[in-house]
Amino acid sequence: MSHDQQAKPTATHIVRDEALLFERSRPGRKGYALPALDVPQQPIAQLIGEAYLRTDELSGFPELSEVDVVRHFTRLSSWNYSVDMGLYPLGSCTMKYNPKINEVAARIPGFALHHPYTPEELSQGSLELLFWLEQLLCEITGMGAATLQPAAGAQGELTGMLVIRASLAARGHPRQTVLIPDSAHGTNPASAAVCGYQVKTIRSNERGLIDLHSLRQAADETVAALMLTNPNTLGLFEEEIHQVAEIIHGVGGYVYMDGANMNALLGITRPGDMGVDVMHLNTHKTFSTPHGGGGPGAGPLLVTKALEPFLPIPRVVKSEDGTYHLDVDRPHSIGRVRAFYGNFGVLVRALAYILSNGPDGLRAIAETAVLNANYVAHQLKDVYDIAYAGACMHEVVFSDKHQLPYGVKNLDIAKRLIDFGFHPPTMSFPLIVPGALMVEPTEAYGREELDAFIAAMKTIAQEAREHPEQLRSAPHLTRIGRLDEVAAARKPVLRWQPQSASAKTDTSA
């Protein structure tokens, strides 16, 4: 579809109602069949012990056949919108396609069935994989050492701040303050605060970049670190990063870089060469490991060589004889941050992605991601306000400024996009852009899909002018319309109530 054509809403969502398994229950229906006993029947309490018998109320537990259950969950799975279905433009949360070769690698029995308690001498392949991945991540980022243990980006941030605190404490004082630009990711202030630091916000200048004047005024010997995101959440590269690092290093602090947006920098530039001391990566954002559903994830932490002694234990090390083992004899380490050594299956996928693309492929990923974001920005700049002018990196931040005069807000635009078969973009973030719509198309989509998205956005802009009420009540083509999001957040119904199922069964059996 050309972007010059007007897009039309399409019913891409399954509209069939699906009762809960509790509601589908029918008395006597079973998902198994056992042969008749050929031994005397015994009371179950005599077989397993009365102390182990359940005593809670089980009435109303669903009674179903196997096919009832399989079809129920298969239908539910078809309701999902995923990166395998189409454009998933969640800005700042990079939802990129996960190549299936990653899954093939992760399902190799030697990896998939490897128990974490397996002795080191029988775990050499897995330990070598971890060591190899650490080395590659250091090469890609220009950093000196890495740990793969953090289970998510936020835990990587926390681990990084603990490393900084431990290093400063070893120098005599952990200091009191962490500086964070107003365009940083929202988890940064939380990570600093959990480590006992006071957070001071650094405002952005008129170009959406760190204001050096404000930074110089705030930088003093109480500052432990600056936590910045680069490219920042406006999709802009911090062009003066070297000066930023000089200012922070000049007062004895560390530069922490939130590497969540590393997808835009792969193979082009390296944070370690910019003066960054500590950074984390999100493997799901940059290295295409699965994302969503709460994990499992991976947030590797990378530091300069000088900070390596403070990394968490155990460390994967290579002996002179070429074997690998886990080293826990690290007196300056911050200790353990999780059990075992990272979410291994996720790390296998990350390594598969790096090796299958190679250096040239990784660079092409970043170049394509940046090109796609700028293509979307160029095509929509006349109908949607772009918060900060200039070439963007991996994502572009629009606002609802042009639609507000018609009573249409960013939420209405996002909900209407669902009717066109697209997942909504990130809304209302970053906080410094009122009515923000953050779009990150990534490298995972071709010209046709981007044009279809652009056409949908243009049609929605036209609807905002001509039929704003249609947007304010969207979506219209989904099984469930617009939810009361405040009630859903404050009064969630998280547990099925047995009474309702009983009533349903009595009336429909």
mmCIF file of all heavy atoms in Angstrom, residues 202-244:
data_model
loop_
_atom_site.group_PDB
_atom_site.id
_atom_site.type_symbol
_atom_site.label_atom_id
_atom_site.label_comp_id
_atom_site.label_asym_id
_atom_site.label_seq_id
_atom_site.Cartn_x
_atom_site.Cartn_y
_atom_site.Cartn_z
ATOM 1 N N ILE A 202 18.561 16.963 35.635
ATOM 2 C CA ILE A 202 19.205 17.930 34.746
ATOM 3 C C ILE A 202 18.283 18.173 33.566
ATOM 4 O O ILE A 202 17.899 17.228 32.873
ATOM 5 C CB ILE A 202 20.571 17.405 34.254
ATOM 6 C CG1 ILE A 202 21.469 17.065 35.439
ATOM 7 C CG2 ILE A 202 21.241 18.428 33.343
ATOM 8 C CD1 ILE A 202 21.816 18.244 36.320
ATOM 9 N N ARG A 203 17.934 19.402 33.334
ATOM 10 C CA ARG A 203 16.969 19.687 32.271
ATOM 11 C C ARG A 203 17.635 19.620 30.904
ATOM 12 O O ARG A 203 18.858 19.781 30.761
ATOM 13 C CB ARG A 203 16.344 21.062 32.487
ATOM 14 C CG ARG A 203 17.295 22.234 32.339
ATOM 15 C CD ARG A 203 16.556 23.547 32.550
ATOM 16 N NE ARG A 203 17.440 24.706 32.443
ATOM 17 C CZ ARG A 203 17.766 25.286 31.302
ATOM 18 N NH1 ARG A 203 17.290 24.802 30.168
ATOM 19 N NH2 ARG A 203 18.571 26.337 31.281
ATOM 20 N N SER A 204 16.790 19.400 29.917
ATOM 21 C CA SER A 204 17.257 19.398 28.530
ATOM 22 C C SER A 204 17.235 20.816 27.984
ATOM 23 O O SER A 204 16.477 21.682 28.442
ATOM 24 C CB SER A 204 16.351 18.500 27.678
ATOM 25 O OG SER A 204 16.378 17.178 28.141
ATOM 26 N N ASN A 205 18.072 21.054 26.979
ATOM 27 C CA ASN A 205 18.052 22.367 26.339
ATOM 28 C C ASN A 205 16.993 22.408 25.235
ATOM 29 O O ASN A 205 16.223 21.457 25.060
ATOM 30 C CB ASN A 205 19.449 22.727 25.808
ATOM 31 C CG ASN A 205 19.941 21.729 24.756
ATOM 32 O OD1 ASN A 205 19.129 21.037 24.115
ATOM 33 N ND2 ASN A 205 21.245 21.632 24.588
ATOM 34 N N GLU A 206 16.971 23.498 24.481
ATOM 35 C CA GLU A 206 15.937 23.675 23.466
ATOM 36 C C GLU A 206 16.041 22.661 22.333
ATOM 37 O O GLU A 206 15.099 22.470 21.569
ATOM 38 C CB GLU A 206 15.994 25.105 22.896
ATOM 39 C CG GLU A 206 17.240 25.436 22.084
ATOM 40 C CD GLU A 206 18.457 25.731 22.954
ATOM 41 O OE1 GLU A 206 18.315 25.698 24.196
ATOM 42 O OE2 GLU A 206 19.542 25.980 22.395
ATOM 43 N N ARG A 207 17.157 21.954 22.242
ATOM 44 C CA ARG A 207 17.330 20.930 21.212
ATOM 45 C C ARG A 207 17.026 19.532 21.728
ATOM 46 O O ARG A 207 17.145 18.554 20.996
ATOM 47 C CB ARG A 207 18.763 20.975 20.674
ATOM 48 C CG ARG A 207 19.136 22.310 20.031
ATOM 49 C CD ARG A 207 20.608 22.312 19.654
ATOM 50 N NE ARG A 207 20.917 21.236 18.732
ATOM 51 C CZ ARG A 207 22.101 20.643 18.656
ATOM 52 N NH1 ARG A 207 23.078 21.027 19.467
ATOM 53 N NH2 ARG A 207 22.308 19.682 17.794
ATOM 54 N N GLY A 208 16.643 19.414 22.995
ATOM 55 C CA GLY A 208 16.318 18.117 23.570
ATOM 56 C C GLY A 208 17.528 17.362 24.066
ATOM 57 O O GLY A 208 17.428 16.165 24.364
ATOM 58 N N LEU A 209 18.670 18.035 24.188
ATOM 59 C CA LEU A 209 19.904 17.405 24.661
ATOM 60 C C LEU A 209 20.248 17.920 26.062
ATOM 61 O O LEU A 209 19.653 18.895 26.540
ATOM 62 C CB LEU A 209 21.050 17.709 23.687
ATOM 63 C CG LEU A 209 20.778 17.339 22.217
ATOM 64 C CD1 LEU A 209 21.931 17.797 21.326
ATOM 65 C CD2 LEU A 209 20.546 15.842 22.063
ATOM 66 N N ILE A 210 21.226 17.261 26.706
ATOM 67 C CA ILE A 210 21.621 17.702 28.040
ATOM 68 C C ILE A 210 22.098 19.148 27.990
ATOM 69 O O ILE A 210 22.905 19.518 27.132
ATOM 70 C CB ILE A 210 22.747 16.802 28.587
ATOM 71 C CG1 ILE A 210 22.218 15.383 28.826
ATOM 72 C CG2 ILE A 210 23.310 17.366 29.887
ATOM 73 C CD1 ILE A 210 23.286 14.425 29.307
ATOM 74 N N ASP A 211 21.596 19.962 28.912
ATOM 75 C CA ASP A 211 22.014 21.350 28.999
ATOM 76 C C ASP A 211 23.334 21.416 29.772
ATOM 77 O O ASP A 211 23.370 21.183 30.987
ATOM 78 C CB ASP A 211 20.927 22.174 29.710
ATOM 79 C CG ASP A 211 21.253 23.657 29.694
ATOM 80 O OD1 ASP A 211 22.128 24.076 30.499
ATOM 81 O OD2 ASP A 211 20.668 24.369 28.872
ATOM 82 N N LEU A 212 24.419 21.720 29.057
ATOM 83 C CA LEU A 212 25.744 21.689 29.687
ATOM 84 C C LEU A 212 25.876 22.725 30.797
ATOM 85 O O LEU A 212 26.571 22.490 31.795
ATOM 86 C CB LEU A 212 26.829 21.902 28.625
ATOM 87 C CG LEU A 212 27.012 20.778 27.599
ATOM 88 C CD1 LEU A 212 28.191 21.095 26.680
ATOM 89 C CD2 LEU A 212 27.230 19.440 28.283
ATOM 90 N N HIS A 213 25.222 23.859 30.628
ATOM 91 C CA HIS A 213 25.297 24.889 31.667
ATOM 92 C C HIS A 213 24.680 24.363 32.974
ATOM 93 O O HIS A 213 25.269 24.515 34.062
ATOM 94 C CB HIS A 213 24.562 26.146 31.206
ATOM 95 C CG HIS A 213 24.535 27.235 32.242
ATOM 96 N ND1 HIS A 213 25.669 27.917 32.633
ATOM 97 C CD2 HIS A 213 23.501 27.735 32.989
ATOM 98 C CE1 HIS A 213 25.347 28.798 33.568
ATOM 99 N NE2 HIS A 213 24.039 28.703 33.800
ATOM 100 N N SER A 214 23.518 23.724 32.866
ATOM 101 C CA SER A 214 22.872 23.160 34.055
ATOM 102 C C SER A 214 23.719 22.046 34.645
ATOM 103 O O SER A 214 23.818 21.901 35.877
ATOM 104 C CB SER A 214 21.484 22.618 33.695
ATOM 105 O OG SER A 214 20.643 23.644 33.242
ATOM 106 N N LEU A 215 24.340 21.255 33.763
ATOM 107 C CA LEU A 215 25.173 20.153 34.248
ATOM 108 C C LEU A 215 26.379 20.678 35.023
ATOM 109 O O LEU A 215 26.709 20.162 36.098
ATOM 110 C CB LEU A 215 25.626 19.292 33.065
ATOM 111 C CG LEU A 215 26.489 18.073 33.419
ATOM 112 C CD1 LEU A 215 25.700 17.096 34.281
ATOM 113 C CD2 LEU A 215 26.994 17.377 32.155
ATOM 114 N N ARG A 216 27.017 21.719 34.494
ATOM 115 C CA ARG A 216 28.197 22.274 35.193
ATOM 116 C C ARG A 216 27.814 22.835 36.552
ATOM 117 O O ARG A 216 28.564 22.720 37.532
ATOM 118 C CB ARG A 216 28.841 23.373 34.334
ATOM 119 C CG ARG A 216 29.581 22.849 33.112
ATOM 120 C CD ARG A 216 30.443 23.927 32.478
ATOM 121 N NE ARG A 216 31.161 23.420 31.316
ATOM 122 C CZ ARG A 216 30.727 23.528 30.065
ATOM 123 N NH1 ARG A 216 29.577 24.151 29.822
ATOM 124 N NH2 ARG A 216 31.413 23.026 29.078
ATOM 125 N N GLN A 217 26.633 23.449 36.628
ATOM 126 C CA GLN A 217 26.187 24.016 37.912
ATOM 127 C C GLN A 217 25.916 22.917 38.941
ATOM 128 O O GLN A 217 26.126 23.112 40.141
ATOM 129 C CB GLN A 217 24.919 24.847 37.697
ATOM 130 C CG GLN A 217 25.170 26.184 37.002
ATOM 131 C CD GLN A 217 23.918 27.037 36.972
ATOM 132 O OE1 GLN A 217 22.822 26.536 36.730
ATOM 133 N NE2 GLN A 217 24.084 28.334 37.206
ATOM 134 N N ALA A 218 25.436 21.774 38.464
ATOM 135 C CA ALA A 218 25.071 20.687 39.391
ATOM 136 C C ALA A 218 26.253 19.797 39.752
ATOM 137 O O ALA A 218 26.221 19.115 40.788
ATOM 138 C CB ALA A 218 23.956 19.848 38.774
ATOM 139 N N ALA A 219 27.262 19.770 38.911
ATOM 140 C CA ALA A 219 28.377 18.831 39.129
ATOM 141 C C ALA A 219 29.316 19.358 40.214
ATOM 142 O O ALA A 219 29.944 20.412 40.053
ATOM 143 C CB ALA A 219 29.136 18.625 37.818
ATOM 144 N N ASP A 220 29.369 18.621 41.304
ATOM 145 C CA ASP A 220 30.318 18.956 42.380
ATOM 146 C C ASP A 220 30.785 17.651 43.012
ATOM 147 O O ASP A 220 30.459 16.558 42.530
ATOM 148 C CB ASP A 220 29.691 19.896 43.416
ATOM 149 C CG ASP A 220 28.427 19.317 44.029
ATOM 150 O OD1 ASP A 220 28.338 18.073 44.137
ATOM 151 O OD2 ASP A 220 27.519 20.084 44.381
ATOM 152 N N GLU A 221 31.525 17.729 44.079
ATOM 153 C CA GLU A 221 32.139 16.540 44.666
ATOM 154 C C GLU A 221 31.168 15.700 45.493
ATOM 155 O O GLU A 221 31.577 14.720 46.112
ATOM 156 C CB GLU A 221 33.353 16.956 45.505
ATOM 157 C CG GLU A 221 34.470 17.512 44.632
ATOM 158 C CD GLU A 221 35.733 17.793 45.429
ATOM 159 O OE1 GLU A 221 35.681 17.675 46.661
ATOM 160 O OE2 GLU A 221 36.755 18.121 44.795
ATOM 161 N N THR A 222 29.872 16.087 45.490
ATOM 162 C CA THR A 222 28.865 15.197 46.091
ATOM 163 C C THR A 222 28.303 14.221 45.064
ATOM 164 O O THR A 222 27.596 13.279 45.426
ATOM 165 C CB THR A 222 27.693 16.014 46.682
ATOM 166 O OG1 THR A 222 26.947 16.605 45.614
ATOM 167 C CG2 THR A 222 28.186 17.083 47.624
ATOM 168 N N VAL A 223 28.621 14.446 43.795
ATOM 169 C CA VAL A 223 28.020 13.657 42.710
ATOM 170 C C VAL A 223 28.745 12.321 42.557
ATOM 171 O O VAL A 223 29.954 12.279 42.319
ATOM 172 C CB VAL A 223 28.053 14.438 41.386
ATOM 173 C CG1 VAL A 223 27.620 13.547 40.226
ATOM 174 C CG2 VAL A 223 27.157 15.665 41.480
ATOM 175 N N ALA A 224 27.974 11.255 42.681
ATOM 176 C CA ALA A 224 28.531 9.917 42.472
ATOM 177 C C ALA A 224 28.551 9.552 40.999
ATOM 178 O O ALA A 224 29.485 8.906 40.522
ATOM 179 C CB ALA A 224 27.715 8.886 43.241
ATOM 180 N N ALA A 225 27.494 9.944 40.291
ATOM 181 C CA ALA A 225 27.402 9.551 38.882
ATOM 182 C C ALA A 225 26.371 10.387 38.153
ATOM 183 O O ALA A 225 25.493 11.005 38.772
ATOM 184 C CB ALA A 225 27.029 8.074 38.771
ATOM 185 N N LEU A 226 26.508 10.387 36.852
ATOM 186 C CA LEU A 226 25.462 10.876 35.944
ATOM 187 C C LEU A 226 24.905 9.654 35.245
ATOM 188 O O LEU A 226 25.662 8.847 34.699
ATOM 189 C CB LEU A 226 26.036 11.843 34.910
ATOM 190 C CG LEU A 226 25.125 12.154 33.721
ATOM 191 C CD1 LEU A 226 23.995 13.096 34.132
ATOM 192 C CD2 LEU A 226 25.912 12.759 32.555
ATOM 193 N N MET A 227 23.574 9.505 35.272
ATOM 194 C CA MET A 227 22.938 8.405 34.537
ATOM 195 C C MET A 227 22.236 9.009 33.323
ATOM 196 O O MET A 227 21.256 9.727 33.466
ATOM 197 C CB MET A 227 21.915 7.672 35.404
ATOM 198 C CG MET A 227 22.494 6.952 36.601
ATOM 199 S SD MET A 227 21.237 6.031 37.526
ATOM 200 C CE MET A 227 21.068 4.566 36.502
ATOM 201 N N LEU A 228 22.758 8.741 32.153
ATOM 202 C CA LEU A 228 22.108 9.277 30.962
ATOM 203 C C LEU A 228 21.754 8.151 30.013
ATOM 204 O O LEU A 228 22.367 7.081 30.026
ATOM 205 C CB LEU A 228 22.993 10.291 30.244
ATOM 206 C CG LEU A 228 24.065 9.786 29.268
ATOM 207 C CD1 LEU A 228 24.531 10.940 28.399
ATOM 208 C CD2 LEU A 228 25.233 9.169 30.006
ATOM 209 N N THR A 229 20.751 8.401 29.208
ATOM 210 C CA THR A 229 20.344 7.472 28.167
ATOM 211 C C THR A 229 20.803 8.044 26.839
ATOM 212 O O THR A 229 20.562 9.214 26.550
ATOM 213 C CB THR A 229 18.813 7.300 28.163
ATOM 214 O OG1 THR A 229 18.388 6.877 29.458
ATOM 215 C CG2 THR A 229 18.382 6.281 27.129
ATOM 216 N N ASN A 230 21.484 7.216 26.032
ATOM 217 C CA ASN A 230 22.021 7.731 24.777
ATOM 218 C C ASN A 230 21.944 6.661 23.697
ATOM 219 O O ASN A 230 22.573 5.601 23.847
ATOM 220 C CB ASN A 230 23.478 8.170 24.970
ATOM 221 C CG ASN A 230 23.965 9.051 23.848
ATOM 222 O OD1 ASN A 230 23.155 9.624 23.117
ATOM 223 N ND2 ASN A 230 25.266 9.175 23.708
ATOM 224 N N PRO A 231 21.203 6.908 22.597
ATOM 225 C CA PRO A 231 20.366 8.057 22.330
ATOM 226 C C PRO A 231 19.278 8.185 23.408
ATOM 227 O O PRO A 231 18.829 7.188 23.959
ATOM 228 C CB PRO A 231 19.750 7.738 20.966
ATOM 229 C CG PRO A 231 20.673 6.736 20.343
ATOM 230 C CD PRO A 231 21.195 5.937 21.470
ATOM 231 N N ASN A 232 18.873 9.434 23.665
ATOM 232 C CA ASN A 232 17.933 9.654 24.748
ATOM 233 C C ASN A 232 16.512 9.281 24.324
ATOM 234 O O ASN A 232 16.276 8.836 23.199
ATOM 235 C CB ASN A 232 18.025 11.095 25.266
ATOM 236 C CG ASN A 232 17.610 12.119 24.208
ATOM 237 O OD1 ASN A 232 16.777 11.849 23.345
ATOM 238 N ND2 ASN A 232 18.186 13.311 24.282
ATOM 239 N N THR A 233 15.577 9.457 25.233
ATOM 240 C CA THR A 233 14.212 9.010 24.953
ATOM 241 C C THR A 233 13.474 9.914 23.980
ATOM 242 O O THR A 233 12.325 9.630 23.634
ATOM 243 C CB THR A 233 13.407 8.904 26.261
ATOM 244 O OG1 THR A 233 13.427 10.171 26.910
ATOM 245 C CG2 THR A 233 14.000 7.846 27.169
ATOM 246 N N LEU A 234 14.097 10.981 23.539
ATOM 247 C CA LEU A 234 13.543 11.782 22.445
ATOM 248 C C LEU A 234 14.037 11.264 21.100
ATOM 249 O O LEU A 234 13.711 11.830 20.059
ATOM 250 C CB LEU A 234 13.949 13.256 22.616
ATOM 251 C CG LEU A 234 13.366 13.959 23.847
ATOM 252 C CD1 LEU A 234 14.056 15.302 24.074
ATOM 253 C CD2 LEU A 234 11.862 14.147 23.685
ATOM 254 N N GLY A 235 14.844 10.218 21.142
ATOM 255 C CA GLY A 235 15.399 9.658 19.913
ATOM 256 C C GLY A 235 16.580 10.458 19.400
ATOM 257 O O GLY A 235 16.940 10.358 18.220
ATOM 258 N N LEU A 236 17.207 11.246 20.265
ATOM 259 C CA LEU A 236 18.300 12.139 19.854
ATOM 260 C C LEU A 236 19.626 11.675 20.457
ATOM 261 O O LEU A 236 19.680 11.268 21.629
ATOM 262 C CB LEU A 236 18.009 13.578 20.297
ATOM 263 C CG LEU A 236 16.676 14.167 19.816
ATOM 264 C CD1 LEU A 236 16.446 15.538 20.439
ATOM 265 C CD2 LEU A 236 16.643 14.260 18.290
ATOM 266 N N PHE A 237 20.676 11.757 19.655
ATOM 267 C CA PHE A 237 22.003 11.391 20.141
ATOM 268 C C PHE A 237 22.609 12.560 20.914
ATOM 269 O O PHE A 237 22.563 13.715 20.460
ATOM 270 C CB PHE A 237 22.914 11.028 18.962
ATOM 271 C CG PHE A 237 24.267 10.538 19.380
ATOM 272 C CD1 PHE A 237 24.426 9.252 19.862
ATOM 273 C CD2 PHE A 237 25.377 11.371 19.314
ATOM 274 C CE1 PHE A 237 25.679 8.792 20.272
ATOM 275 C CE2 PHE A 237 26.628 10.931 19.718
ATOM 276 C CZ PHE A 237 26.775 9.629 20.196
ATOM 277 N N GLU A 238 23.176 12.263 22.070
ATOM 278 C CA GLU A 238 23.801 13.303 22.894
ATOM 279 C C GLU A 238 25.146 13.681 22.249
ATOM 280 O O GLU A 238 26.174 13.069 22.506
ATOM 281 C CB GLU A 238 23.995 12.804 24.326
ATOM 282 C CG GLU A 238 22.704 12.528 25.083
ATOM 283 C CD GLU A 238 21.974 13.825 25.471
ATOM 284 O OE1 GLU A 238 22.549 14.923 25.283
ATOM 285 O OE2 GLU A 238 20.841 13.724 25.963
ATOM 286 N N GLU A 239 25.098 14.699 21.409
ATOM 287 C CA GLU A 239 26.256 15.060 20.592
ATOM 288 C C GLU A 239 27.455 15.515 21.422
ATOM 289 O O GLU A 239 28.595 15.410 20.988
ATOM 290 C CB GLU A 239 25.863 16.171 19.611
ATOM 291 C CG GLU A 239 24.746 15.761 18.650
ATOM 292 C CD GLU A 239 24.240 16.938 17.847
ATOM 293 O OE1 GLU A 239 24.774 18.057 18.037
ATOM 294 O OE2 GLU A 239 23.307 16.757 17.044
ATOM 295 N N GLU A 240 27.176 16.047 22.610
ATOM 296 C CA GLU A 240 28.258 16.580 23.448
ATOM 297 C C GLU A 240 28.645 15.609 24.560
ATOM 298 O O GLU A 240 29.055 16.029 25.637
ATOM 299 C CB GLU A 240 27.842 17.934 24.009
ATOM 300 C CG GLU A 240 27.595 18.946 22.888
ATOM 301 C CD GLU A 240 26.974 20.236 23.374
ATOM 302 O OE1 GLU A 240 25.991 20.170 24.135
ATOM 303 O OE2 GLU A 240 27.467 21.312 22.989
ATOM 304 N N ILE A 241 28.545 14.326 24.270
ATOM 305 C CA ILE A 241 28.786 13.307 25.287
ATOM 306 C C ILE A 241 30.220 13.385 25.817
ATOM 307 O O ILE A 241 30.451 13.143 27.005
ATOM 308 C CB ILE A 241 28.465 11.903 24.721
ATOM 309 C CG1 ILE A 241 28.720 10.817 25.762
ATOM 310 C CG2 ILE A 241 29.231 11.622 23.448
ATOM 311 C CD1 ILE A 241 27.835 10.914 26.966
ATOM 312 N N HIS A 242 31.177 13.737 24.964
ATOM 313 C CA HIS A 242 32.559 13.824 25.455
ATOM 314 C C HIS A 242 32.698 14.949 26.485
ATOM 315 O O HIS A 242 33.380 14.793 27.504
ATOM 316 C CB HIS A 242 33.515 14.056 24.284
ATOM 317 C CG HIS A 242 33.755 12.834 23.456
ATOM 318 N ND1 HIS A 242 34.473 11.753 23.908
ATOM 319 C CD2 HIS A 242 33.339 12.501 22.203
ATOM 320 C CE1 HIS A 242 34.516 10.811 22.983
ATOM 321 N NE2 HIS A 242 33.823 11.242 21.927
ATOM 322 N N GLN A 243 32.061 16.070 26.239
ATOM 323 C CA GLN A 243 32.106 17.164 27.213
ATOM 324 C C GLN A 243 31.363 16.784 28.486
ATOM 325 O O GLN A 243 31.782 17.131 29.600
ATOM 326 C CB GLN A 243 31.502 18.427 26.598
ATOM 327 C CG GLN A 243 32.308 18.982 25.428
ATOM 328 C CD GLN A 243 31.695 20.266 24.897
ATOM 329 O OE1 GLN A 243 31.483 21.218 25.643
ATOM 330 N NE2 GLN A 243 31.406 20.285 23.602
ATOM 331 N N VAL A 244 30.253 16.088 28.315
ATOM 332 C CA VAL A 244 29.499 15.614 29.481
ATOM 333 C C VAL A 244 30.398 14.732 30.353
ATOM 334 O O VAL A 244 30.459 14.888 31.586
ATOM 335 C CB VAL A 244 28.248 14.824 29.030
ATOM 336 C CG1 VAL A 244 27.623 14.080 30.220
ATOM 337 C CG2 VAL A 244 27.233 15.759 28.386
#
